[in-house]
């Protein structure tokens, strides 16, 4: 990978492949986005750089990096949206405290606390695995009953 000057402003472009984001939206959200221009959906995404463009020394163009959505989850209701927005505000407050953001919003100043509080009502990975195992066992029992019936 090429190295660029530490003060260079890198332009970020979003790759057009948004299938993962589309898959995380409900049918109602998709229709709403189409029918109501300006409607917003709150989502958490994981981005990966997939392409970069550098320029020769002396060129008056900023280096560019293209990002692709690798994982995406959209808030499915107002409570989830509120929690994600609180985490976002906490992260923005951290940037403000670090001097990388000009405005600060209301609420707590601890991003880790806000994340823990936001996730407290959501299942852990272990709880999800237990649910998956119980669901699979229930389906196995159901298929055995159907076979014997």
């Amino acid at each position: 990978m090429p190295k660029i000057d530490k003060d260079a402003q890198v332009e970020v472009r979003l790759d057009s492949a948004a299938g993962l984001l589309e898959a995380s939206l409900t049918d109602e959200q998709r229709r709403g986005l189409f029918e109501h221009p300006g409607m917003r959906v709150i989502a958490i995404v994981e981005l990966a750089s997939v392409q970069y463009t550098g320029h020769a020394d002396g060129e008056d163009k900023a280096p560019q990096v293209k990002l692709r959505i690798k994982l995406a989850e959209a808030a499915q209701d107002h409570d989830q949206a509120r929690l994600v927005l609180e985490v976002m505000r906490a992260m923005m407050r951290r940037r403000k405290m670090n001097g990388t953001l000009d405005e600060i919003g209301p609420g707590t100043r601890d991003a880790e606390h806000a994340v823990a509080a936001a996730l407290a009502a959501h299942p852990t990975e272990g709880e999800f695995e237990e649910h998956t195992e119980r669901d699979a066992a229930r389906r196995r029992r159901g298929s055995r009953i159907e076979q014997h019936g």
Side-chain angles (χ1 to χ4, degrees), residues 61-76:
K61 292 181 95 178
Q64 296 176 350
V65 63
K66 186 181 283 187
L67 304 179
R68 180 170 295 151
I69 296 172
K70 291 307 218 179
L71 292 172
E73 284 298 327
Q76 300 292 305

Side-chain angles (χ1 to χ4, degrees), residues 32-100:
L33 289 164
F34 179 83
E35 294 172 352
H36 306 286
M39 177 185 162
R40 297 177 185 194
V41 173
I42 308 302
I44 298 172
V45 298
E46 178 181 329
L47 302 169
S49 60
V50 294
Q51 183 180 16
Y52 68 91
T53 303
H55 300 285
D57 286 339
E59 284 294 309
D60 193 21
K61 292 181 95 178
Q64 296 176 350
V65 63
K66 186 181 283 187
L67 304 179
R68 180 170 295 151
I69 296 172
K70 291 307 218 179
L71 292 172
E73 284 298 327
Q76 300 292 305
D77 56 41
H78 293 295
D79 287 335
Q80 284 184 346
R82 181 185 51 76
L83 294 172
V84 173
L85 287 170
E86 179 56 33
V87 171
M88 185 185 303
R89 284 189 290 272
M91 294 168 75
M92 289 181 354
R93 288 188 294 273
R94 174 62 59 197
R95 288 199 301 142
K96 172 63 177 173
M97 292 170 68
N98 291 339
T100 60

Side-chain angles (χ1 to χ4, degrees), residues 118-139:
L119 297 178
H122 289 74
T124 64
E125 190 67 30
E127 291 168 335
F128 177 72
E129 288 173 7
E130 287 175 21
H131 166 77
T132 303
E133 290 171 11
R134 281 192 310 268
D135 192 47
R138 187 173 32 251
R139 278 184 276 146

